């Protein structure tokens, strides 16, 4: 088990679409275990493999107060979404120090595999539904700030590029984020 580093926006690797998992082998099991350790340590209520620079469709989630409801979603797909939306504040372990309101469907039905490789289909509501949509965005290379206005996003990009420069990271190619 190991806590892995979480990529920080505007790292262009956060834009990599994740590939489907073919076989749930020891490597994927170790990945899941490291993802839980990294998520609980942060702490966060969800983590997509993308965030630790592994571009495979794996999500871990636990929205409970006691860290006792771990859930694994492999190759997750949203197969149905409610028409009704609500707006609530989101944050992201890859965009530390910024939170904002995002509008999303209030419930989604998800199809995928669990940690044992068994197929599931489940309807999620409330914070569960919001977290899943946020994590599935990560697997597609999207971030919650992509749902904000272009004005806000541009302002945030400049702010986080400056922070990255101050950490001594190399400048990005124009248009990379
Ligand atoms: O810890 C997290 N909290 C959160 C709050 C509202 C909506 C989504 C989230 S997910 C976030 C952890 C994270 O960045 N997952 O990708
Ligand atoms: Ni996130």
């Amino acid at each position: 088990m190991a806590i892995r580093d979480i990529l920080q926006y505007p790292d262009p690797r956060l834009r990599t679409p994740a590939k489907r998992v073919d076989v749930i082998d020891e490597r994927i099991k170790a990945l899941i275990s490291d993802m839980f350790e990294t998520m609980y340590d942060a702490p966060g209520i969800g983590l997509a493999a993308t965030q630790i620079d592994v571009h495979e469709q794996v999500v871990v989630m636990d929205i409970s107060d006691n860290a006792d409801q771990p859930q694994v979603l492999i190759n997750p797909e949203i197969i149905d979404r409610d028409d009704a939306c609500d707006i609530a504040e989101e944050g992201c372990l890859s965009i530390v120090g910024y939170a904002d309101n995002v509008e999303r469907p209030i419930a989604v039905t998800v199809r995928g595999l669990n940690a044992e490789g068994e197929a599931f289909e489940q309807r999620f509501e409330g914070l569960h539904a919001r977290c899943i949509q946020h994590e599935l965005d990560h697997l597609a290379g999207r971030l919650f700030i992509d749902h904000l206005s272009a004005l806000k996003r541009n302002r945030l990009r400049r702010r986080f590029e400056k922070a990255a420069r101050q950490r001594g990271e190399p400048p990005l190619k124009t248009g990379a984020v």
Side-chain angles (χ1 to χ4, degrees):
M1 295 259 287
I3 294 169
R4 308 236 199 145
D5 289 339
I6 299 175
L7 297 178
Q8 293 302 310
Y9 176 78
D11 193 312
R13 292 172 290 183
L14 287 167
R15 298 309 192 174
T16 315
K19 294 188 170 66
R20 289 172 64 81
V21 172
D22 288 329
V23 278
I24 302 170
D25 52 12
E26 290 310 310
R27 183 181 64 88
I28 295 291
K29 288 179 185 165
L31 169 67
I32 290 167
S33 160
D34 284 358
M35 285 174 67
F36 274 117
E37 196 176 348
T38 304
M39 179 188 75
Y40 287 131
D41 175 72
I45 60 170
L47 189 74
T50 308
Q51 293 177 275
I52 57 166
D53 199 22
V54 175
H55 303 287
E56 301 184 61
Q57 294 178 17
V58 180
V59 164
V60 298
M61 194 168 60
D62 190 338
I63 66 163
S64 71
D65 291 332
N66 315 314
D68 58 2
Q69 286 168 39
Q71 190 156 16
V72 176
L73 299 93
I74 297 169
N75 302 338
E77 290 174 73
I78 294 175
I79 56 170
D80 195 27
R81 27 174 77 75
D82 279 24
D83 291 332
C85 290
D86 71 353
I87 296 173
E89 191 163 88
E90 297 192 16
C92 182
L93 295 172
S94 296
I95 314 178
V96 173
Y98 186 74
D100 209 337
N101 286 329
V102 180
E103 182 176 4
R104 297 195 192 262
I106 58 173
V108 290
T109 302
V110 177
R111 178 185 290 162
L113 303 176
N114 64 19
E116 283 72 50
E118 299 155 350
F120 70 86
E121 208 175 285
Q122 197 181 334
R123 181 178 150 92
F124 295 90
E125 299 176 348
L127 182 57
H128 244 124
R130 180 167 294 277
C131 185
I132 283 173
Q133 292 174 78
H134 176 115
E135 303 312 339
L136 266 70
D137 272 356
H138 277 303
L139 295 182
R142 290 191 298 264
L143 298 166
F144 82 90
I145 55 172
D146 299 345
H147 297 275
L148 307 177
S149 71
L151 177 71
K152 271 191 181 178
R153 216 169 40 248
N154 287 333
R155 209 185 306 151
L156 282 168
R157 181 165 46 79
R158 282 193 292 274
R159 168 177 150 191
F160 281 87
E161 277 172 355
K162 185 175 173 195
R165 274 198 303 279
Q166 287 171 347
R167 289 195 300 270
E169 290 171 19
L172 298 162
K173 292 195 192 101
T174 339
V177 289

